């Protein structure tokens, strides 16, 4: 346990000095962390895509054709499902700011809001990508040391078995 505490405090640990079960435990922990980070990356990428869809809906739905109130439009419920509707206002749109709260904004202000969200998520995605690369590098090192230890242990035990057979 002391080595895990050392790791969490950022102190370097000589991996080759650790026993195989502890290396396996570290490998499993790194694998779980990578899976979690990869899932988070995918979710952020999906959120970024939804915000881009919102920007496109504003551009194509209101601003592009300068539609008038009462005009027939297709309202996107999902990226692939649209329902017919009537445009109530071209002056303002409802912007989902999260957790069920909506704000009325002008179309340009709504686009700016969503653009800032896309940019913010882009920065977060770059940060997570760097972390994933670092964790992947750590996992590769741990796997290499674990592999070397297992090979070393298997050759040592096979030599002991051969040596024991000669003496008996």
């Amino acid at each position: 346990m002391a080595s895990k505490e050392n790791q969490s405090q950022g102190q370097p640990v000589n991996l080759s000095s650790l026993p195989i079960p502890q290396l396996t435990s570290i490998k499993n922990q790194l694998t779980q962390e990578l899976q979690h980070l990869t899932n988070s990356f995918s979710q952020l990428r999906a959120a970024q895509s939804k915000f881009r869809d919102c920007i496109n809906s504003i551009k194509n739905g209101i601003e592009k054709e300068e539609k008038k109130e009462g005009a027939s439009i297709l309202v996107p419920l999902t990226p692939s499902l649209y329902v017919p509707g009537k445009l109530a206002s071209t002056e303002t749109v409802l912007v989902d700011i999260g957790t069920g709260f909506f704000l009325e904004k002008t179309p340009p202000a709504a686009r700016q809001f969503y653009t800032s969200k896309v940019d913010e998520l882009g920065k977060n995605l770059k940060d997570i990508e760097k972390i994933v690369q670092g964790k992947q590098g750590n996992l590769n090192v741990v796997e290499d040391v674990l592999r070397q230890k297992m090979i070393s242990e298997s050759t040592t035990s096979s030599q002991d078995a051969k040596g024991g057979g000669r003496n008996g």
Side-chain angles (χ1 to χ4, degrees), residues 20-77:
I20 289 177
Q22 198 166 12
L23 285 170
T24 303
S25 174
I26 292 170
K27 176 185 171 245
N28 292 340
Q29 180 183 354
L30 285 170
T31 301
Q32 288 175 350
E33 288 175 9
L34 271 171
Q35 287 173 343
H36 174 70
L37 288 168
T38 303
N39 289 340
S40 296
F41 187 88
S42 297
Q43 290 172 352
L44 288 176
R45 182 69 78 192
Q48 190 181 45
S49 176
K50 287 180 184 178
F51 288 140
R52 283 191 179 119
D53 288 343
C54 291
I55 293 168
N56 289 333
S57 292
I58 293 168
K59 282 181 183 176
N60 297 331
I62 295 176
E63 296 177 333
K64 183 178 180 184
E65 299 174 20
E66 295 193 17
K67 295 190 176 189
K68 297 183 178 167
E69 290 182 19
S72 293
I73 59 169
L74 290 175
V75 180
L77 296 180

Side-chain angles (χ1 to χ4, degrees), residues 51 95-103 113-114 117:
F51 288 140
V95 175
D96 183 356
I97 60 170
T99 63
F101 290 97
F102 293 84
L103 289 178
F113 173 81
Y114 287 126
K117 289 292 184 186

